[in-house]
Amino acid sequence: MTGGSRGIGRQAVSRLAQDGFAVVVVYAGRAADADAAVEEVTAKGGRAIAVQADVADEQAVAALFDRTEQEFGGVDVVVNAAGIMNNPTPLVELSLDELDRILRTNVRGTFAVSQQAARRVRRGGAIINFSSSVTRLRQPGYTPYGASKGAVDTMTLILARELRGRDITVNAVAPGPTATALFLDGKPQEVIDGLAKAAPLERLGEPDDIAEVVAFLAGPARWVNGQVLYANGGIA
């Protein structure tokens, strides 16, 4: 589970452990958060370890998969939740450095993890990438983030077809506005309130809501393949 130390990823770690999975919590720089996620799982009798890795570094990603195989004997499910978002900024004002920063994690990182996953996930397994409902909402200010998630969608759908005959499902989860630090940071309260009212269910998503979708794709959803699942309360 990349991006497993905070927010949606952290909740998905807990949910998958509850379903009996041994979990590798992959983090970039927040060791204390990753250790806390591991402690939460192990305190309930589950198995988990924390591993630091830059998801855009192919050697680090390969080493991550090596460690997973050594620790747990193989890889059955890969959840690629690592991602970063820009502060809302019109395209005309964005720097190319900011674009490169977001594409490196969200696109190159998804590619590097998906490549290793395609090589190593065992039959009957699942690869779950993270997209975003921004690709449908097309909110001004999110050009680099939305573009990166559009690339994730395309990678996911093509990889599902490239793994024909392997009995491995490949899907993406596309959350809408969800109450995590990634979403809430830097937004005025009136913007948050407006987005909460936009969905017919009239609230923001919670990490639990998205974790349930991840658990579905990781376990019982064997006939769901090559799809982008929009988990957004009906906002789009």
PDB file of all heavy atoms in Angstrom, residues 128-146:
ATOM      1  N   ILE A 128      -4.668  -1.963  -7.778  1.00  0.00           N
ATOM      2  CA  ILE A 128      -5.650  -0.894  -7.566  1.00  0.00           C
ATOM      3  C   ILE A 128      -4.908   0.440  -7.549  1.00  0.00           C
ATOM      4  O   ILE A 128      -4.121   0.719  -6.635  1.00  0.00           O
ATOM      5  CB  ILE A 128      -6.404  -1.096  -6.240  1.00  0.00           C
ATOM      6  CG1 ILE A 128      -7.066  -2.476  -6.202  1.00  0.00           C
ATOM      7  CG2 ILE A 128      -7.444   0.016  -6.044  1.00  0.00           C
ATOM      8  CD1 ILE A 128      -7.526  -2.904  -4.821  1.00  0.00           C
ATOM      9  N   ASN A 129      -5.126   1.241  -8.573  1.00  0.00           N
ATOM     10  CA  ASN A 129      -4.534   2.573  -8.640  1.00  0.00           C
ATOM     11  C   ASN A 129      -5.517   3.611  -8.120  1.00  0.00           C
ATOM     12  O   ASN A 129      -6.710   3.342  -7.978  1.00  0.00           O
ATOM     13  CB  ASN A 129      -4.125   2.895 -10.075  1.00  0.00           C
ATOM     14  CG  ASN A 129      -2.935   2.058 -10.533  1.00  0.00           C
ATOM     15  OD1 ASN A 129      -2.044   1.767  -9.754  1.00  0.00           O
ATOM     16  ND2 ASN A 129      -2.929   1.685 -11.803  1.00  0.00           N
ATOM     17  N   PHE A 130      -4.993   4.805  -7.872  1.00  0.00           N
ATOM     18  CA  PHE A 130      -5.860   5.889  -7.397  1.00  0.00           C
ATOM     19  C   PHE A 130      -5.926   7.010  -8.423  1.00  0.00           C
ATOM     20  O   PHE A 130      -4.916   7.613  -8.778  1.00  0.00           O
ATOM     21  CB  PHE A 130      -5.380   6.430  -6.048  1.00  0.00           C
ATOM     22  CG  PHE A 130      -6.142   5.842  -4.892  1.00  0.00           C
ATOM     23  CD1 PHE A 130      -5.947   4.519  -4.538  1.00  0.00           C
ATOM     24  CD2 PHE A 130      -7.074   6.573  -4.199  1.00  0.00           C
ATOM     25  CE1 PHE A 130      -6.648   3.936  -3.507  1.00  0.00           C
ATOM     26  CE2 PHE A 130      -7.799   6.011  -3.153  1.00  0.00           C
ATOM     27  CZ  PHE A 130      -7.580   4.686  -2.798  1.00  0.00           C
ATOM     28  N   SER A 131      -7.139   7.250  -8.888  1.00  0.00           N
ATOM     29  CA  SER A 131      -7.434   8.356  -9.778  1.00  0.00           C
ATOM     30  C   SER A 131      -8.114   9.456  -8.951  1.00  0.00           C
ATOM     31  O   SER A 131      -7.869   9.584  -7.751  1.00  0.00           O
ATOM     32  CB  SER A 131      -8.331   7.875 -10.930  1.00  0.00           C
ATOM     33  OG  SER A 131      -8.627   8.938 -11.793  1.00  0.00           O
ATOM     34  N   SER A 132      -8.982  10.221  -9.576  1.00  0.00           N
ATOM     35  CA  SER A 132      -9.697  11.298  -8.874  1.00  0.00           C
ATOM     36  C   SER A 132     -10.925  11.710  -9.670  1.00  0.00           C
ATOM     37  O   SER A 132     -10.916  11.668 -10.906  1.00  0.00           O
ATOM     38  CB  SER A 132      -8.783  12.515  -8.710  1.00  0.00           C
ATOM     39  OG  SER A 132      -9.516  13.633  -8.233  1.00  0.00           O
ATOM     40  N   SER A 133     -11.965  12.133  -8.962  1.00  0.00           N
ATOM     41  CA  SER A 133     -13.151  12.650  -9.632  1.00  0.00           C
ATOM     42  C   SER A 133     -12.905  14.012 -10.275  1.00  0.00           C
ATOM     43  O   SER A 133     -13.766  14.519 -11.004  1.00  0.00           O
ATOM     44  CB  SER A 133     -14.323  12.748  -8.638  1.00  0.00           C
ATOM     45  OG  SER A 133     -14.769  11.456  -8.271  1.00  0.00           O
ATOM     46  N   VAL A 134     -11.738  14.612 -10.030  1.00  0.00           N
ATOM     47  CA  VAL A 134     -11.377  15.856 -10.715  1.00  0.00           C
ATOM     48  C   VAL A 134     -11.412  15.663 -12.230  1.00  0.00           C
ATOM     49  O   VAL A 134     -11.705  16.599 -12.978  1.00  0.00           O
ATOM     50  CB  VAL A 134      -9.987  16.340 -10.251  1.00  0.00           C
ATOM     51  CG1 VAL A 134      -9.448  17.433 -11.167  1.00  0.00           C
ATOM     52  CG2 VAL A 134     -10.060  16.852  -8.826  1.00  0.00           C
ATOM     53  N   THR A 135     -11.154  14.430 -12.700  1.00  0.00           N
ATOM     54  CA  THR A 135     -11.183  14.190 -14.147  1.00  0.00           C
ATOM     55  C   THR A 135     -12.579  14.388 -14.728  1.00  0.00           C
ATOM     56  O   THR A 135     -12.717  14.622 -15.928  1.00  0.00           O
ATOM     57  CB  THR A 135     -10.688  12.778 -14.478  1.00  0.00           C
ATOM     58  OG1 THR A 135     -11.513  11.815 -13.808  1.00  0.00           O
ATOM     59  CG2 THR A 135      -9.236  12.589 -14.038  1.00  0.00           C
ATOM     60  N   ARG A 136     -13.607  14.275 -13.899  1.00  0.00           N
ATOM     61  CA  ARG A 136     -14.981  14.552 -14.345  1.00  0.00           C
ATOM     62  C   ARG A 136     -15.439  15.956 -13.944  1.00  0.00           C
ATOM     63  O   ARG A 136     -16.147  16.622 -14.693  1.00  0.00           O
ATOM     64  CB  ARG A 136     -15.945  13.522 -13.743  1.00  0.00           C
ATOM     65  CG  ARG A 136     -15.942  12.181 -14.434  1.00  0.00           C
ATOM     66  CD  ARG A 136     -17.064  11.314 -13.901  1.00  0.00           C
ATOM     67  NE  ARG A 136     -17.188  10.080 -14.647  1.00  0.00           N
ATOM     68  CZ  ARG A 136     -18.074   9.131 -14.378  1.00  0.00           C
ATOM     69  NH1 ARG A 136     -18.910   9.278 -13.351  1.00  0.00           N
ATOM     70  NH2 ARG A 136     -18.135   8.033 -15.096  1.00  0.00           N
ATOM     71  N   LEU A 137     -15.049  16.389 -12.756  1.00  0.00           N
ATOM     72  CA  LEU A 137     -15.510  17.692 -12.264  1.00  0.00           C
ATOM     73  C   LEU A 137     -14.849  18.844 -13.009  1.00  0.00           C
ATOM     74  O   LEU A 137     -15.422  19.922 -13.142  1.00  0.00           O
ATOM     75  CB  LEU A 137     -15.212  17.812 -10.766  1.00  0.00           C
ATOM     76  CG  LEU A 137     -15.959  16.834  -9.870  1.00  0.00           C
ATOM     77  CD1 LEU A 137     -15.418  16.914  -8.440  1.00  0.00           C
ATOM     78  CD2 LEU A 137     -17.463  17.126  -9.887  1.00  0.00           C
ATOM     79  N   ARG A 138     -13.620  18.617 -13.472  1.00  0.00           N
ATOM     80  CA  ARG A 138     -12.860  19.621 -14.249  1.00  0.00           C
ATOM     81  C   ARG A 138     -12.833  20.981 -13.534  1.00  0.00           C
ATOM     82  O   ARG A 138     -13.081  22.028 -14.137  1.00  0.00           O
ATOM     83  CB  ARG A 138     -13.442  19.750 -15.653  1.00  0.00           C
ATOM     84  CG  ARG A 138     -13.486  18.423 -16.398  1.00  0.00           C
ATOM     85  CD  ARG A 138     -14.108  18.541 -17.768  1.00  0.00           C
ATOM     86  NE  ARG A 138     -14.202  17.234 -18.402  1.00  0.00           N
ATOM     87  CZ  ARG A 138     -15.268  16.439 -18.324  1.00  0.00           C
ATOM     88  NH1 ARG A 138     -16.340  16.832 -17.651  1.00  0.00           N
ATOM     89  NH2 ARG A 138     -15.272  15.261 -18.916  1.00  0.00           N
ATOM     90  N   GLN A 139     -12.513  20.935 -12.247  1.00  0.00           N
ATOM     91  CA  GLN A 139     -12.507  22.167 -11.456  1.00  0.00           C
ATOM     92  C   GLN A 139     -11.341  23.069 -11.856  1.00  0.00           C
ATOM     93  O   GLN A 139     -10.197  22.612 -11.953  1.00  0.00           O
ATOM     94  CB  GLN A 139     -12.371  21.804  -9.968  1.00  0.00           C
ATOM     95  CG  GLN A 139     -13.554  21.030  -9.415  1.00  0.00           C
ATOM     96  CD  GLN A 139     -13.149  20.162  -8.241  1.00  0.00           C
ATOM     97  OE1 GLN A 139     -12.322  19.269  -8.366  1.00  0.00           O
ATOM     98  NE2 GLN A 139     -13.740  20.432  -7.090  1.00  0.00           N
ATOM     99  N   PRO A 140     -11.593  24.350 -12.094  1.00  0.00           N
ATOM    100  CA  PRO A 140     -10.501  25.267 -12.404  1.00  0.00           C
ATOM    101  C   PRO A 140      -9.456  25.251 -11.297  1.00  0.00           C
ATOM    102  O   PRO A 140      -9.774  25.142 -10.110  1.00  0.00           O
ATOM    103  CB  PRO A 140     -11.205  26.628 -12.486  1.00  0.00           C
ATOM    104  CG  PRO A 140     -12.620  26.291 -12.865  1.00  0.00           C
ATOM    105  CD  PRO A 140     -12.914  25.007 -12.148  1.00  0.00           C
ATOM    106  N   GLY A 141      -8.199  25.349 -11.707  1.00  0.00           N
ATOM    107  CA  GLY A 141      -7.110  25.391 -10.743  1.00  0.00           C
ATOM    108  C   GLY A 141      -6.394  24.078 -10.541  1.00  0.00           C
ATOM    109  O   GLY A 141      -5.345  24.032  -9.901  1.00  0.00           O
ATOM    110  N   TYR A 142      -6.945  22.998 -11.091  1.00  0.00           N
ATOM    111  CA  TYR A 142      -6.366  21.670 -10.847  1.00  0.00           C
ATOM    112  C   TYR A 142      -5.818  21.036 -12.130  1.00  0.00           C
ATOM    113  O   TYR A 142      -5.845  19.828 -12.275  1.00  0.00           O
ATOM    114  CB  TYR A 142      -7.410  20.750 -10.216  1.00  0.00           C
ATOM    115  CG  TYR A 142      -7.762  21.127  -8.801  1.00  0.00           C
ATOM    116  CD1 TYR A 142      -8.898  21.886  -8.537  1.00  0.00           C
ATOM    117  CD2 TYR A 142      -6.954  20.746  -7.736  1.00  0.00           C
ATOM    118  CE1 TYR A 142      -9.222  22.248  -7.241  1.00  0.00           C
ATOM    119  CE2 TYR A 142      -7.267  21.103  -6.440  1.00  0.00           C
ATOM    120  CZ  TYR A 142      -8.403  21.855  -6.201  1.00  0.00           C
ATOM    121  OH  TYR A 142      -8.725  22.212  -4.913  1.00  0.00           O
ATOM    122  N   THR A 143      -5.318  21.848 -13.030  1.00  0.00           N
ATOM    123  CA  THR A 143      -4.833  21.308 -14.304  1.00  0.00           C
ATOM    124  C   THR A 143      -3.782  20.217 -14.128  1.00  0.00           C
ATOM    125  O   THR A 143      -3.931  19.121 -14.683  1.00  0.00           O
ATOM    126  CB  THR A 143      -4.286  22.438 -15.187  1.00  0.00           C
ATOM    127  OG1 THR A 143      -5.347  23.336 -15.498  1.00  0.00           O
ATOM    128  CG2 THR A 143      -3.723  21.875 -16.486  1.00  0.00           C
ATOM    129  N   PRO A 144      -2.682  20.449 -13.388  1.00  0.00           N
ATOM    130  CA  PRO A 144      -1.662  19.393 -13.319  1.00  0.00           C
ATOM    131  C   PRO A 144      -2.156  18.151 -12.590  1.00  0.00           C
ATOM    132  O   PRO A 144      -1.852  17.020 -13.001  1.00  0.00           O
ATOM    133  CB  PRO A 144      -0.499  20.060 -12.579  1.00  0.00           C
ATOM    134  CG  PRO A 144      -1.114  21.186 -11.828  1.00  0.00           C
ATOM    135  CD  PRO A 144      -2.260  21.657 -12.668  1.00  0.00           C
ATOM    136  N   TYR A 145      -2.928  18.337 -11.541  1.00  0.00           N
ATOM    137  CA  TYR A 145      -3.454  17.186 -10.790  1.00  0.00           C
ATOM    138  C   TYR A 145      -4.430  16.400 -11.660  1.00  0.00           C
ATOM    139  O   TYR A 145      -4.351  15.170 -11.757  1.00  0.00           O
ATOM    140  CB  TYR A 145      -4.137  17.668  -9.519  1.00  0.00           C
ATOM    141  CG  TYR A 145      -4.676  16.552  -8.659  1.00  0.00           C
ATOM    142  CD1 TYR A 145      -3.815  15.709  -7.970  1.00  0.00           C
ATOM    143  CD2 TYR A 145      -6.046  16.358  -8.521  1.00  0.00           C
ATOM    144  CE1 TYR A 145      -4.301  14.684  -7.170  1.00  0.00           C
ATOM    145  CE2 TYR A 145      -6.548  15.336  -7.729  1.00  0.00           C
ATOM    146  CZ  TYR A 145      -5.667  14.505  -7.055  1.00  0.00           C
ATOM    147  OH  TYR A 145      -6.163  13.489  -6.273  1.00  0.00           O
ATOM    148  N   GLY A 146      -5.353  17.104 -12.303  1.00  0.00           N
ATOM    149  CA  GLY A 146      -6.319  16.432 -13.162  1.00  0.00           C
ATOM    150  C   GLY A 146      -5.655  15.728 -14.328  1.00  0.00           C
ATOM    151  O   GLY A 146      -6.022  14.605 -14.690  1.00  0.00           O
TER     152      GLY A 146
END
